[in-house]
Amino acid sequence: MKSFSVVRSDRARWAPGLGVALLLAAVSGGIAGPSVFPTGVTIYEPSRAYNNYVLFDGRDERSYLIDMNGNDVHTWPYSGFPVEMIDPAINGGRRGHVLLQKEPNNYENETLLELNWEGEVAWQWGPKAPDGRAAQTHDLARLPNGNTLVLSMRGTVPKEISALPVKDQMIFEVAPDGSVVWKWVASEHLSEFGLTEAALELLRSPNARRRSSLLTINNMSPLGMNRWYRAGDERFHPDNILIDSREANFIVIIDKRTGKIVWRMGPDYPGAFDFSALKNSRQVPRPVDQISGQHDAHLIPEGLPGAGNLLVFDNQGSAGMPNARLALFMGSRVLEIDPLLGEIVWQYDAASSRRPIWSFFSVFISSARRLPNGNTLICEGMNGRMFQVTRAGEIVWEYVNPHFGRWADHDTDSGGDLTNWVFRAQPIPYDWAPEGTPRSERRVAAPDLSTFRVPQPKPSTSEQPTPEQPKPEQ
């Protein structure tokens, strides 16, 4: 097997418990962010943005399709982890069908649903699943043959690391009648992921059984036809499946026919990129440096700029076995990578938009998708922010999720902390929705932040300002 993997730096690493601390701080508002902020569309340049719908999961147990002005053009009464609209080209021409979860518990859900535009159940999978429940988490995909790939969480006992059950992850290919026609189990391939003996020892520790899952595979996408396969590279067969592990910092391709890993990037990378020397850390092309806690790794589909390259949201959240050393100034990145050369060919971070590097940061969840005009739709999931950037890094559309809900894992006494996080955002072409679906494309100019203020109440008669008091801003 050919792979791209380089040796990890021996420099100092993050403290072992920092990942959990960062996650809890992020969810509870401990990482930078105002307590009051605008929601909805805050920036929109119609002539420079790629105009389409956007689909995402709300925290109020609903799924939303919005237009470029942030109008809720359609909703479904369930959410997903993620919610995904099915391409009509592989769904018999049916428009507006989505895959999502019936139950709100992302890790223990029993039923996977396909709903039509009217919210009616077109297909479901759960009772015929192993143990009578789908247990779908982090990803799913409808295939051109009509089957559905489901990333699922199950308990297994991998003898090489544990005598007790661990939260393992599996991929099922499910036929329309609910039967499983192909299965892949993550723990059966531990020797193929490039994990060191030190990493395996960490998996054997009691703490490993308390992880959200063994390796936290948060992404699963069939490769589809691509230029590497057309050139004769069988590792990139269209049926093969790309996954990534958030916990272990690797991205791999699974050979669908054998189940073996045939391409790998990570888990070991050169040392942390240096945000204190941004000129050097952002020059492209350059070898891939330290990726950590990544999400939504996939090959850019044919027909889009950069087709065949790997696009990944590099969270730069605490991850790795042991935890990777990260840059002093924390910020996330979106990377476009040549998968044969192992080189970064394009990068977006906050500095690309002439902003402080820490102003774009999501330590968990999130996504990035290439658009037909060369822009990239980015979901800064932790903050519920979705935006489009040009190749040069200019933000031409921005939206902040106004649909809040409770995060119950942290503060259960009060029902959980209020949050608007979004797992993933999917760009939806206009012709994927039923004909006649409304849309709006009116320009939204961003205000001058140095003068923008929340309107203040007018003073009462007894509160009229004296000469020594400045008048309240209106």
Side-chain angles (χ1 to χ4, degrees), residues 171-427:
I171 300 174
F172 298 108
E173 181 176 348
V174 183
D177 66 1
S179 61
V180 174
V181 297
W182 183 83
K183 182 177 78 169
W184 183 87
V185 183
S187 63
E188 295 177 359
H189 299 271
L190 289 176
S191 63
E192 302 172 47
F193 296 139
L195 301 174
T196 64
E197 183 58 32
L200 292 173
E201 281 299 317
L202 286 172
L203 288 178
R204 293 183 187 114
S205 71
N207 288 336
R209 290 190 292 277
R210 292 195 288 269
R211 294 176 184 269
S212 60
S213 62
L214 184 65
L215 296 167
T216 310
I217 295 170
N218 58 45
N219 174 76
M220 172 205 66
S221 61
L223 296 186
M225 186 55 70
N226 60 83
R227 60 184 170 122
W228 314 115
Y229 180 71
R230 292 185 188 279
D233 194 330
E234 287 289 331
R235 298 176 300 170
F236 293 84
H237 189 286
D239 291 342
N240 289 352
I241 300 168
L242 187 149
I243 63 170
D244 69 57
S245 166
R246 189 225 175 279
E247 296 291 344
N249 289 343
F250 63 69
I251 303 170
V252 302
I253 293 175
I254 302 166
D255 187 309
K256 184 75 179 304
R257 292 164 296 184
T258 66
K260 299 294 185 181
I261 303 304
V262 293
W263 177 93
R264 172 169 56 84
M265 190 171 72
D268 296 315
Y269 300 88
F273 64 94
D274 186 1
F275 270 141
S276 65
L278 279 175
K279 182 178 180 181
N280 294 329
S281 69
R282 300 180 67 247
Q283 288 179 342
V284 294
R286 72 176 194 280
V288 175
D289 46 27
Q290 183 65 65
I291 292 174
S292 187
Q294 75 290 325
H295 283 75
D296 200 31
H298 62 280
L299 293 189
I300 298 173
E302 287 198 322
L304 299 179
N309 286 338
L310 177 74
L311 194 65
V312 58
F313 190 105
D314 176 18
N315 297 71
Q316 287 295 300
S318 181
M321 299 176 180
N323 286 343
R325 177 188 179 273
L326 303 180
L328 176 61
F329 296 105
M330 296 185 293
S332 296
R333 309 182 294 176
V334 174
L335 303 178
E336 181 183 339
I337 298 168
D338 183 315
L340 297 192
L341 298 178
E343 289 185 341
I344 299 171
V345 297
W346 179 78
Q347 171 175 323
Y348 175 81
D349 54 52
S352 305
S353 301
R354 300 180 180 274
R355 299 184 179 194
I357 204 69
W358 53 84
S359 65
F360 168 54
F361 191 31
S362 180
V363 299
F364 68 118
I365 55 179
S366 309
S367 63
R369 299 294 172 95
R370 184 57 44 81
L371 299 169
N373 68 347
N375 290 356
T376 302
L377 174 67
I378 299 172
C379 173
E380 185 185 2
M382 182 176 79
N383 299 311
R385 176 182 174 232
M386 292 155 263
F387 61 104
Q388 266 191 48
V389 296
T390 66
R391 194 78 179 173
E394 184 175 357
I395 298 172
V396 293
W397 180 81
E398 181 182 70
Y399 171 87
V400 179
N401 177 23
H403 304 291
F404 286 76
R406 294 288 176 180
W407 172 278
D409 287 7
H410 178 43
D411 185 3
T412 55
D413 291 340
S414 65
D417 295 328
L418 199 63
T419 179
N420 66 335
W421 64 261
V422 172
F423 179 71
R424 181 184 295 174
Q426 181 189 14

Side-chain angles (χ1 to χ4, degrees), residues 96-170:
H97 283 227
V98 293
L99 292 169
L100 34 65
Q101 296 175 342
K102 183 177 181 181
E103 295 81 17
N105 188 326
N106 296 324
Y107 292 102
E108 300 295 339
N109 68 88
E110 295 185 358
T111 311
L112 180 65
L113 294 176
E114 176 188 342
L115 298 184
N116 64 17
W117 189 254
E118 290 74 29
E120 301 165 336
V121 177
W123 177 79
Q124 61 181 312
W125 187 64
K128 291 187 177 181
D131 304 320
R133 60 190 184 92
Q136 179 268 325
T137 178
H138 288 97
D139 224 338
L140 38 73
R142 177 61 51 82
L143 299 175
N145 65 3
N147 293 349
T148 305
L149 283 181
V150 180
L151 182 58
S152 182
M153 187 177 296
R154 307 276 164 172
T156 65
V157 183
K159 293 181 180 178
E160 60 268 50
I161 63 169
S162 177
L164 297 172
V166 298
K167 295 176 182 177
D168 206 346
Q169 282 176 283
M170 304 178 185

Side-chain angles (χ1 to χ4, degrees), residues 68-107:
M68 298 302 287
N69 282 119
N71 299 306
D72 297 338
V73 299
H74 201 73
T75 62
W76 289 265
Y78 302 101
S79 190
F81 198 48
V83 56
E84 289 281 315
M85 186 170 285
I86 304 170
D87 183 349
I90 64 171
N91 201 34
R94 293 182 290 272
R95 298 184 178 191
H97 283 227
V98 293
L99 292 169
L100 34 65
Q101 296 175 342
K102 183 177 181 181
E103 295 81 17
N105 188 326
N106 296 324
Y107 292 102

Side-chain angles (χ1 to χ4, degrees), residues 34-60:
S35 58
V36 175
F37 50 86
T39 61
V41 172
T42 59
I43 300 170
Y44 177 34
E45 295 291 343
S47 63
R48 306 187 64 197
Y50 183 76
N51 300 308
N52 57 192
Y53 299 120
V54 177
L55 178 69
F56 65 94
D57 49 289
R59 296 283 59 77
D60 53 355

